[in-house]
Amino acid sequence: MSHKLRIGIIGAGRIGKVHAKTFSTLVPAATVEAVADTNPTAARELAEQYGIPVVYDDHKKLLANAAIDAVVICTPTEFHADMIVDAANAGKHVFCEKPLAFSLDAIDNALAAVKRSGVTFLMGFNRRHDVGHTRIRRDVIAGRIGNPELCHIISRDPSPPTAEYIRTSGGIYVDMMIHDFDLSRYLLNDEPEEVFATGACLIEPEFAKYNDVDTAMVTIRFRNGAICSIDNSRRAIYGYDQRVEVMGSKGRLSTFNMLEDNTQFAGPDGFQEPRALNFFMERYIPAFQTEGIHFADCLLHGATPNCTGEDGRAAVVMAKAADLSAKTGRLVKISEIG
Amino acid sequence: MSHKLRIGIIGAGRIGKVHAKTFSTLVPAATVEAVADTNPTAARELAEQYGIPVVYDDHKKLLANAAIDAVVICTPTEFHADMIVDAANAGKHVFCEKPLAFSLDAIDNALAAVKRSGVTFLMGFNRRHDVGHTRIRRDVIAGRIGNPELCHIISRDPSPPTAEYIRTSGGIYVDMMIHDFDLSRYLLNDEPEEVFATGACLIEPEFAKYNDVDTAMVTIRFRNGAICSIDNSRRAIYGYDQRVEVMGSKGRLSTFNMLEDNTQFAGPDGFQEPRALNFFMERYIPAFQTEGIHFADCLLHGATPNCTGEDGRAAVVMAKAADLSAKTGRLVKISEIG
Amino acid sequence: MSHKLRIGIIGAGRIGKVHAKTFSTLVPAATVEAVADTNPTAARELAEQYGIPVVYDDHKKLLANAAIDAVVICTPTEFHADMIVDAANAGKHVFCEKPLAFSLDAIDNALAAVKRSGVTFLMGFNRRHDVGHTRIRRDVIAGRIGNPELCHIISRDPSPPTAEYIRTSGGIYVDMMIHDFDLSRYLLNDEPEEVFATGACLIEPEFAKYNDVDTAMVTIRFRNGAICSIDNSRRAIYGYDQRVEVMGSKGRLSTFNMLEDNTQFAGPDGFQEPRALNFFMERYIPAFQTEGIHFADCLLHGATPNCTGEDGRAAVVMAKAADLSAKTGRLVKISEIG
Amino acid sequence: MSHKLRIGIIGAGRIGKVHAKTFSTLVPAATVEAVADTNPTAARELAEQYGIPVVYDDHKKLLANAAIDAVVICTPTEFHADMIVDAANAGKHVFCEKPLAFSLDAIDNALAAVKRSGVTFLMGFNRRHDVGHTRIRRDVIAGRIGNPELCHIISRDPSPPTAEYIRTSGGIYVDMMIHDFDLSRYLLNDEPEEVFATGACLIEPEFAKYNDVDTAMVTIRFRNGAICSIDNSRRAIYGYDQRVEVMGSKGRLSTFNMLEDNTQFAGPDGFQEPRALNFFMERYIPAFQTEGIHFADCLLHGATPNCTGEDGRAAVVMAKAADLSAKTGRLVKISEIG
């Protein structure tokens, strides 16, 4: 491979912008060589912003560019699986955004193509690369808290997406909570056995039209006994709320929210600190950077991807179990899904 | 009624000691006139410690003492209902510790006796009297956080009780989580509709012999939409973990743990603060005091009990719903229980 | 001595009320038998509030009461020394509020009378009895932070006293910072060598009429090398600000302010916690209680007073050094004062 | 000027590395074109690390390079003034590290050369660019805390430099506290009038050989009345301690330390958070980036430097006043120095 990792970005939307910025400015070992989007204006604007030399209106054209080593798939979920297959067949290494795909068949098909081709695959769960999460996982594995018993993951967006976004999102479990399902396996270093889910449309009644909810609470039982609660909300007026805690026989590990700055104001009404960092583009910049550097390390220095296609599949299975539980009002076994 | 409220304590065990101390030293408007326990040594020792003039070996003898205005029932749960009936029939006002009783029939019978006799009844959920909980409820009712959407209640004891205690405790939901069931109704000012519960024996395998668990996670759906998670553990190595949070459309209210003191040590390994206050006898002293003062206010100045027999019954119903859910693995409607 | 310590309160003003309440309700081993004040209405009202049986309009009458074991001197500073002499001569044990007196001659005279009479003397620096301060001193002495190098004491009242109070207060150093001078010796377990002080009238220009300031900053060099900064303000709009920190070769110990409750509100403007406890009557209730119990322990069980007349004198010497420094703009040696 | 700002780094030591990294990787509008150091190995290594194309062994050769727009002066303090003159005469814009110089004559000479030549000059006090400090200054100017009355600046390095470094550093006031002197003017938006300083050699007795101290406490009176305390230590075992607070008539603004991550461990000994970020290279990365972007903005888009040569001079004057105060034990007027 060339001295620098040559990246092609597929999809110039919100998350495509995040990765274009990351690989252009925060990963010294990589350069972004091309961006493809079926909306040529979006692709062009992104290319201009980060000095990306080539623009395509079709991901297949990008895949045909021999000067590209690897692609970052940032399109809507429905296209992920086919694009992974296309990329693998073109011999390009793949970094795919979450969720891997909506159907397990599509996922299995895509992962088989990756396997056949021998390309490197990194599943894009950025929160695994957060310094706090990484430290907790390391400490859990090292036994610092003994046997994990209780886990809480709280993830609340600052404001809800549009109903249009919701229409094709696949629902809160596979679109939003997918991060937390992956994080629960990552933090506990354990596999889920049973899932219970319940949700409600409390913020945007319109989401109910698409059989979706905007507020959800899930309980997961893990093989080694730990019980994990995940709550998701599409709106937290105080900013992006991102907290985890794992309690075990010997202690508890947890994270605090990251705030806009480190100041405090003391006035007649008490002590005030600023809002939480507004959203993932602010809160997880360092995690995206670490993730990008990790992808480059995998390809340039033989590091092992810390988030695999199987991890991506496992999170989708959990989301499907949650969906079935929410519909039936009962505990659903992971083994019922696949 | 006499100038000071004259209290009789029934039951000289752990919680009897708490109330004997509270009414003897922290409630200026009350005096403790007698204590009854079938174990006369326990009663005598408690009487000596707080200068209580009269000791009985039978609660009926205490109830026959005309110089007593009100009783605090601190016996094991199985005796609560009958003693309430006895006290009501004797014309004594009643403050009864949690849980009200194990069976709804017994509860209904006891509350009917209270009603017939016209005595005042205060249900003893001490956490309602905590200054933080009180402030959150007041703010929720005042609309400070808009419509409540998500709620978390975490309650973890510092160390597990004996297996002997567990044998007659009624199980974690009615013995321990009963506090949190009540607190969820109190904080959200709303009624539960459905309950899902799951638990595990992760700390003391012996508890399983009595069909009990030491770790439990419950999800409750409330009428107005809020979803509440409660977790309980019989052991938190860092001290009594007592946290609540309520998130709504306009904000979030939460409490921090109270620590042993307000110091911090900064050393080579970072910043360290002391343990959480060890258990309820330390953490909730001010709440027990406020509760005692409230009971005196009800009887001396006509205040309305802020925790009624119906509140006590509602928490038992929630505990029974949780128990059924844990056994069946499904969401249980409150209306299924009673 | 009788089973219970029989206390007489001299002075029914603000601090007299604090000690009357403390010894009446928070020190089980003591009873308040009498209160004396030249303002009989004040004495009578205080007596009624706490059920104190006897009221005097002259401290000498109180001292003549054989049923009193010990007095708590709560009068204005100008009367302290003479009253200590009177009490000692009457064979009453003495607990004297800060500051000991304005002049060193008066102090030496009073302490000589105490010595001659053999009564027990406790100097009333309540902050020594704060659980946080006590823990820091214990840890400093145990070597937890190695050699103390830097110390900060911040003490800010919520709102300024009246100009009338200031007129006879003796000035900020001897009236207010006296607490912090004592605390610096207590926390560092070391003796001061040199003092630099500077102050300004920033809040109440009227205080300047009495040659006083409302804002002051003092630097103290201790024998073993530590340098300590004390700041005082007569007004902190967010409540009584009480913080200390001691940094040494092996770490740093510090305290946080105590807030009105343990809640947090998260809203559109960020995270808010309540005001600091408003003033010493709220913030130091537990310290006053511990101090009262300590005084009873000294007299009933032979404990050694943890704050002596010499400690009271040392703080006044520091205040005088500060005053001289503020007037001359130079570092003043403790040995220049006495 | 060319589209991108072309930077030359003069001095390849510790701070030269920081700026080489900043301008190479964190300031998109700038490129580093050359580095000069009398130690050619140091220059070459730095050039290699960041892909800097040209290396010089003499700053004058760098100044002769017409492809360079501006220089960042990162040499030892003794060379600053002459290099500013050389750069100004060569028509290069100048960003000079702190302190400006040791002597006021040299400073005045250098600033005159800057003025004559018309080049842009930015004084390098990186802490002005910290987001917390910037917010506090903005709020102070906006009147959020009313009239500033008390200010604390605490700055403690994690571990002492070598005695060799101390030998030519100019002493703690001009080498280390210079940052805090500038910060006091920046935060309070006010000018100092009088300074008192005291220090001690508590960490490294060897520093005393060079008439330096490792621990210092300074008090500054400002024109508008505020009193500011600065403490500096060459060693804080818990990491780089960087805190400020400003208290005024309407409130208090302060900063917290930034820690290694946002995790907490709760165990048998209490609650633990990680160390403070170790030193300025970690703690102030974002401030150095903002500073670099600001320098580029000044040159590319006409922004006004937010830290001038006069600011650099004012801090040196304060350092000299502190030095004189420490030697004489008296309050020194700023007007005595210059």
Side-chain angles (χ1 to χ4, degrees):
Chain A
M1 186 172 292
S2 66
H3 181 62
K4 284 214 179 188
L5 174 65
R6 297 165 305 176
I7 297 277
I9 304 280
I10 301 178
R14 189 171 67 174
I15 191 68
K17 285 171 188 160
V18 169
H19 289 300
K21 181 177 178 180
T22 300
F23 282 104
S24 295
T25 67
L26 301 172
V27 182
T31 60
V32 181
E33 295 296 325
V35 54
D37 198 299
T38 53
N39 175 340
T41 309
R44 217 157 31 231
E45 284 174 8
L46 189 56
E48 262 170 44
Q49 190 170 3
Y50 295 106
I52 302 169
V54 189
V55 168
Y56 298 105
D57 61 359
D58 184 332
H59 76 282
K60 289 188 178 164
K61 295 178 189 167
L62 185 148
L63 292 173
N65 182 338
I68 285 172
D69 304 311
V71 294
V72 183
I73 298 178
C74 305
T75 52
T77 305
E78 56 188 308
F79 304 113
H80 287 182
D82 286 350
M83 286 177 173
I84 293 169
V85 173
D86 290 345
N89 290 346
K92 306 300 188 196
H93 304 290
V94 177
F95 172 164
C96 183
E97 259 302 319
K98 49 62 50 180
L100 194 35
F102 291 133
S103 98
L104 296 184
D105 282 351
I107 288 173
D108 292 339
N109 189 43
L111 297 184
V114 166
K115 195 169 181 190
R116 273 197 312 275
S117 69
V119 298
T120 294
F121 183 88
L122 179 68
M123 182 64 218
F125 282 123
N126 62 298
R127 295 186 199 166
R128 287 193 175 214
H129 301 274
D130 176 69
V131 66
H133 299 155
T134 301
R135 180 164 169 171
I136 290 181
R137 174 180 163 86
R138 191 191 63 207
D139 282 1
V140 166
I141 290 174
R144 193 177 190 200
I145 61 164
N147 303 315
E149 295 164 358
L150 286 165
C151 176
H152 285 273
I153 299 176
I154 287 173
S155 180
R156 301 170 187 166
D157 289 352
S159 51
T162 60
E164 177 55 24
Y165 174 92
I166 290 297
R167 197 176 58 81
T168 62
S169 71
I172 199 167
Y173 303 110
V174 78
D175 178 59
M176 180 173 173
M177 202 178 280
I178 195 86
H179 278 294
D180 308 296
F181 289 131
D182 181 63
L183 200 52
S184 69
R185 292 176 62 244
Y186 183 70
L187 294 176
L188 292 167
N189 195 34
D190 196 0
E191 292 301 327
E193 282 204 329
E194 295 175 299
V195 175
F196 172 80
T198 192
C201 235
L202 302 175
I203 301 163
E204 289 287 356
E206 210 182 342
F207 291 4
K209 286 187 200 166
Y210 305 110
N211 296 314
D212 203 357
V213 294
D214 49 37
T215 306
M217 182 94 75
V218 166
T219 304
I220 309 164
R221 296 183 61 111
F222 280 78
R223 270 189 210 159
N224 295 322
I227 305 174
C228 174
S229 159
I230 299 174
D231 96 28
N232 272 191
S233 169
R234 291 285 191 181
R235 179 196 54 208
I237 208 166
Y238 47 91
Y240 194 39
D241 194 347
Q242 295 286 296
R243 286 172 288 156
V244 306
E245 82 169 61
V246 190
M247 212 266 292
S249 49
K250 294 185 182 166
R252 187 186 89 191
L253 286 159
S254 56
T255 57
F256 295 104
N257 272 315
M258 290 181 173
L259 309 187
E260 287 179 349
D261 63 49
N262 63 332
T263 61
Q264 185 189 58
F265 172 69
D269 298 327
F271 296 81
Q272 187 156 22
E273 295 169 30
R275 288 168 56 82
L277 284 172
N278 191 61
F279 209 0
F280 69 90
M281 296 84 87
E282 292 86 20
R283 166 67 177 79
Y284 285 119
I285 288 176
F288 282 117
Q289 178 178 26
T290 303
E291 186 180 48
I293 289 170
H294 173 63
F295 189 50
D297 276 352
C298 291
L299 298 180
L300 300 175
H301 308 114
T304 303
N306 88 336
C307 193
T308 66
E310 285 64 39
D311 291 321
R313 188 185 194 280
V316 173
V317 168
M318 292 173 81
K320 287 182 177 294
D323 210 55
L324 179 58
S325 174
K327 285 189 172 66
T328 59
R330 66 173 178 83
L331 202 53
V332 169
K333 285 192 193 307
I334 288 296
S335 58
E336 295 180 50
I337 305 299
Chain B
M1 187 170 290
S2 65
H3 180 63
K4 283 215 178 186
L5 175 65
R6 297 167 305 179
I7 296 278
I9 304 280
I10 301 177
R14 187 171 67 172
I15 191 68
K17 285 171 189 158
V18 169
H19 289 301
K21 181 177 180 180
T22 301
F23 282 104
S24 296
T25 66
L26 301 172
V27 182
T31 60
V32 181
E33 294 296 326
V35 55
D37 198 299
T38 52
N39 176 342
T41 310
R44 218 161 27 235
E45 285 174 7
L46 189 55
E48 261 170 45
Q49 189 168 6
Y50 296 107
I52 302 170
V54 189
V55 167
Y56 298 105
D57 62 358
D58 184 331
H59 76 284
K60 288 189 180 164
K61 295 178 189 167
L62 184 149
L63 292 173
N65 182 339
I68 285 172
D69 303 312
V71 295
V72 183
I73 299 177
C74 305
T75 52
T77 306
E78 55 187 310
F79 304 112
H80 286 182
D82 287 348
M83 287 178 172
I84 293 170
V85 172
D86 291 345
N89 290 346
K92 306 300 189 196
H93 305 289
V94 177
F95 171 164
C96 182
E97 258 302 320
K98 51 60 47 178
L100 194 34
F102 292 134
S103 99
L104 296 184
D105 282 350
I107 289 174
D108 291 339
N109 189 43
L111 297 185
V114 166
K115 197 169 180 189
R116 271 195 314 274
S117 70
V119 298
T120 294
F121 182 88
L122 179 68
M123 182 65 217
F125 281 125
N126 62 299
R127 295 186 200 168
R128 286 193 175 214
H129 301 274
D130 175 69
V131 65
H133 298 155
T134 301
R135 179 165 171 173
I136 290 181
R137 175 180 163 85
R138 192 190 64 207
D139 282 0
V140 166
I141 289 174
R144 193 178 191 197
I145 60 164
N147 303 314
E149 294 164 356
L150 286 165
C151 176
H152 285 273
I153 299 176
I154 288 174
S155 180
R156 301 170 187 166
D157 289 352
S159 52
T162 60
E164 177 56 24
Y165 174 92
I166 290 296
R167 197 176 58 81
T168 61
S169 72
I172 200 168
Y173 302 111
V174 78
D175 178 60
M176 180 174 174
M177 202 179 280
I178 195 86
H179 278 295
D180 309 295
F181 288 131
D182 181 63
L183 200 51
S184 70
R185 293 177 62 245
Y186 183 69
L187 294 176
L188 292 167
N189 195 34
D190 196 358
E191 292 300 327
E193 281 205 330
E194 295 176 298
V195 175
F196 172 81
T198 194
C201 236
L202 302 175
I203 302 164
E204 288 288 357
E206 209 182 342
F207 292 2
K209 286 188 199 164
Y210 305 110
N211 295 312
D212 203 357
V213 295
D214 49 36
T215 306
M217 181 94 73
V218 166
T219 304
I220 309 164
R221 297 182 60 111
F222 279 78
R223 271 190 209 157
N224 295 320
I227 303 174
C228 174
S229 159
I230 299 173
D231 95 29
N232 271 191
S233 170
R234 291 285 190 182
R235 180 197 52 209
I237 208 166
Y238 48 91
Y240 195 39
D241 194 347
Q242 295 284 296
R243 287 172 287 156
V244 305
E245 83 170 60
V246 191
M247 212 268 290
S249 50
K250 295 184 182 167
R252 187 187 88 192
L253 286 159
S254 56
T255 57
F256 295 104
N257 272 316
M258 289 180 173
L259 309 188
E260 288 177 350
D261 64 48
N262 64 331
T263 60
Q264 186 189 59
F265 171 69
D269 299 327
F271 297 82
Q272 187 156 21
E273 296 169 30
R275 288 168 56 83
L277 284 173
N278 192 59
F279 208 0
F280 69 91
M281 297 85 86
E282 292 87 20
R283 167 66 179 80
Y284 285 120
I285 288 177
F288 282 117
Q289 179 178 27
T290 304
E291 187 180 46
I293 290 171
H294 173 63
F295 188 49
D297 275 352
C298 290
L299 298 179
L300 299 175
H301 308 112
T304 302
N306 89 336
C307 192
T308 66
E310 286 64 40
D311 291 322
R313 187 187 195 280
V316 173
V317 168
M318 292 173 81
K320 287 182 177 294
D323 210 54
L324 179 58
S325 174
K327 285 188 170 67
T328 59
R330 67 173 176 83
L331 202 53
V332 169
K333 286 192 193 307
I334 288 296
S335 59
E336 296 180 49
I337 305 298
Chain C
M1 186 171 293
S2 67
H3 180 63
K4 283 213 176 187
L5 174 65
R6 296 166 304 177
I7 297 278
I9 304 280
I10 302 177
R14 189 171 69 174
I15 192 67
K17 285 172 188 159
V18 169
H19 288 302
K21 181 177 178 179
T22 300
F23 282 103
S24 295
T25 66
L26 301 172
V27 182
T31 60
V32 180
E33 295 296 325
V35 55
D37 198 299
T38 53
N39 175 342
T41 309
R44 217 157 33 231
E45 283 176 7
L46 189 56
E48 262 170 45
Q49 190 170 4
Y50 295 106
I52 302 170
V54 189
V55 168
Y56 298 105
D57 61 359
D58 185 330
H59 76 282
K60 290 189 178 162
K61 295 179 189 165
L62 187 148
L63 292 173
N65 182 339
I68 284 172
D69 303 312
V71 295
V72 184
I73 299 177
C74 304
T75 51
T77 305
E78 55 187 310
F79 304 112
H80 286 182
D82 286 349
M83 287 177 172
I84 292 170
V85 173
D86 292 345
N89 290 345
K92 307 300 188 194
H93 304 291
V94 177
F95 172 164
C96 182
E97 259 302 319
K98 48 63 52 179
L100 195 34
F102 291 135
S103 97
L104 296 184
D105 282 350
I107 288 173
D108 292 338
N109 189 43
L111 297 184
V114 166
K115 195 169 182 190
R116 272 196 312 275
S117 70
V119 298
T120 294
F121 182 88
L122 179 67
M123 182 64 217
F125 282 124
N126 61 299
R127 295 186 199 167
R128 287 194 175 213
H129 301 273
D130 176 69
V131 65
H133 299 155
T134 301
R135 180 165 170 170
I136 290 180
R137 175 179 162 86
R138 192 191 63 208
D139 283 1
V140 166
I141 290 174
R144 193 178 190 199
I145 60 164
N147 303 316
E149 294 164 357
L150 285 166
C151 175
H152 285 272
I153 299 177
I154 287 173
S155 180
R156 302 170 186 165
D157 289 351
S159 51
T162 59
E164 178 55 25
Y165 174 93
I166 291 296
R167 197 176 57 83
T168 61
S169 71
I172 199 166
Y173 302 111
V174 78
D175 178 60
M176 179 174 174
M177 202 179 280
I178 195 87
H179 278 295
D180 309 294
F181 288 131
D182 180 64
L183 200 51
S184 70
R185 292 177 63 244
Y186 184 69
L187 294 176
L188 292 167
N189 195 34
D190 195 359
E191 293 300 327
E193 282 206 328
E194 295 175 298
V195 175
F196 172 80
T198 193
C201 235
L202 302 176
I203 301 164
E204 289 287 356
E206 210 182 342
F207 291 4
K209 287 187 201 166
Y210 305 110
N211 296 313
D212 203 357
V213 294
D214 48 37
T215 306
M217 182 94 75
V218 166
T219 303
I220 309 163
R221 297 182 62 111
F222 279 79
R223 271 190 210 158
N224 295 321
I227 305 173
C228 174
S229 158
I230 299 174
D231 96 28
N232 271 193
S233 169
R234 291 284 190 182
R235 180 196 54 209
I237 208 165
Y238 48 90
Y240 194 40
D241 194 346
Q242 293 287 296
R243 288 172 286 155
V244 305
E245 83 170 61
V246 191
M247 212 266 291
S249 50
K250 294 185 181 166
R252 186 187 90 191
L253 286 159
S254 56
T255 57
F256 295 105
N257 272 314
M258 291 181 172
L259 310 188
E260 288 178 348
D261 62 49
N262 65 330
T263 62
Q264 186 190 58
F265 172 69
D269 298 327
F271 297 81
Q272 186 156 22
E273 295 168 31
R275 287 168 57 82
L277 284 173
N278 192 61
F279 208 0
F280 69 90
M281 297 83 88
E282 293 86 19
R283 167 65 178 81
Y284 285 119
I285 287 177
F288 282 117
Q289 178 178 26
T290 303
E291 186 180 47
I293 290 170
H294 174 63
F295 188 49
D297 276 353
C298 291
L299 297 180
L300 299 175
H301 308 114
T304 303
N306 88 337
C307 192
T308 65
E310 285 65 39
D311 291 321
R313 187 186 195 279
V316 172
V317 168
M318 292 173 81
K320 287 182 178 293
D323 211 54
L324 178 58
S325 174
K327 284 188 173 66
T328 59
R330 66 172 177 83
L331 201 53
V332 169
K333 286 193 194 305
I334 288 296
S335 58
E336 296 180 50
I337 305 299
Chain D
M1 187 171 289
S2 66
H3 180 65
K4 285 214 177 187
L5 175 64
R6 297 166 304 179
I7 297 277
I9 304 280
I10 301 177
R14 189 171 66 170
I15 192 67
K17 285 172 188 158
V18 169
H19 289 301
K21 181 177 180 181
T22 300
F23 282 103
S24 295
T25 67
L26 300 172
V27 182
T31 60
V32 181
E33 295 296 324
V35 55
D37 198 299
T38 53
N39 175 342
T41 309
R44 216 161 30 234
E45 283 174 8
L46 189 56
E48 261 170 46
Q49 190 169 5
Y50 296 106
I52 302 169
V54 189
V55 168
Y56 297 106
D57 61 358
D58 185 331
H59 75 282
K60 290 190 178 162
K61 295 178 188 166
L62 185 148
L63 292 173
N65 182 339
I68 285 172
D69 304 312
V71 295
V72 184
I73 298 177
C74 305
T75 51
T77 305
E78 56 188 309
F79 304 112
H80 286 183
D82 287 349
M83 287 179 173
I84 292 169
V85 173
D86 291 345
N89 291 345
K92 307 300 188 193
H93 304 290
V94 177
F95 171 165
C96 182
E97 258 303 319
K98 50 63 48 178
L100 194 34
F102 291 133
S103 98
L104 296 184
D105 283 350
I107 289 173
D108 292 338
N109 189 43
L111 296 185
V114 166
K115 196 170 182 189
R116 272 195 314 273
S117 69
V119 298
T120 294
F121 182 88
L122 179 69
M123 183 65 217
F125 282 125
N126 61 299
R127 295 185 199 168
R128 288 194 173 212
H129 301 273
D130 176 68
V131 65
H133 298 156
T134 302
R135 179 166 170 170
I136 290 180
R137 175 180 163 85
R138 192 191 65 207
D139 282 1
V140 166
I141 290 175
R144 193 178 191 197
I145 60 164
N147 302 316
E149 294 163 358
L150 285 166
C151 176
H152 285 273
I153 299 177
I154 287 173
S155 180
R156 301 170 187 164
D157 288 352
S159 52
T162 59
E164 176 57 24
Y165 174 93
I166 290 296
R167 197 176 58 82
T168 62
S169 71
I172 200 167
Y173 303 110
V174 78
D175 178 59
M176 180 175 174
M177 201 179 280
I178 194 86
H179 278 295
D180 309 294
F181 289 131
D182 181 63
L183 200 51
S184 69
R185 292 176 63 246
Y186 184 69
L187 295 175
L188 293 167
N189 195 35
D190 196 358
E191 293 300 327
E193 281 204 330
E194 294 175 299
V195 175
F196 173 80
T198 192
C201 235
L202 302 176
I203 302 164
E204 289 287 356
E206 208 182 344
F207 292 3
K209 287 188 202 165
Y210 305 110
N211 295 313
D212 203 357
V213 294
D214 48 38
T215 305
M217 181 94 74
V218 167
T219 304
I220 309 164
R221 297 183 61 111
F222 279 78
R223 270 188 210 161
N224 295 320
I227 303 173
C228 174
S229 159
I230 299 175
D231 96 28
N232 271 192
S233 170
R234 291 285 191 184
R235 179 195 54 207
I237 208 166
Y238 47 92
Y240 194 40
D241 193 347
Q242 294 286 296
R243 288 172 286 156
V244 305
E245 86 170 58
V246 191
M247 212 269 289
S249 49
K250 295 185 180 166
R252 186 187 89 191
L253 286 158
S254 56
T255 57
F256 295 104
N257 271 317
M258 290 181 173
L259 310 187
E260 287 177 351
D261 63 49
N262 64 331
T263 61
Q264 185 189 59
F265 171 69
D269 298 328
F271 296 82
Q272 187 156 22
E273 296 169 30
R275 287 169 57 83
L277 285 172
N278 192 61
F279 209 0
F280 70 90
M281 297 83 88
E282 293 86 20
R283 167 65 178 81
Y284 286 120
I285 288 177
F288 282 118
Q289 179 178 27
T290 304
E291 186 180 48
I293 290 171
H294 174 63
F295 188 50
D297 276 353
C298 291
L299 298 179
L300 300 174
H301 308 112
T304 303
N306 88 336
C307 192
T308 66
E310 285 65 39
D311 292 321
R313 187 186 194 281
V316 172
V317 168
M318 293 173 80
K320 287 182 177 294
D323 210 55
L324 179 57
S325 174
K327 284 188 172 66
T328 59
R330 66 172 177 83
L331 201 54
V332 169
K333 286 192 193 307
I334 288 295
S335 59
E336 297 180 47
I337 305 299

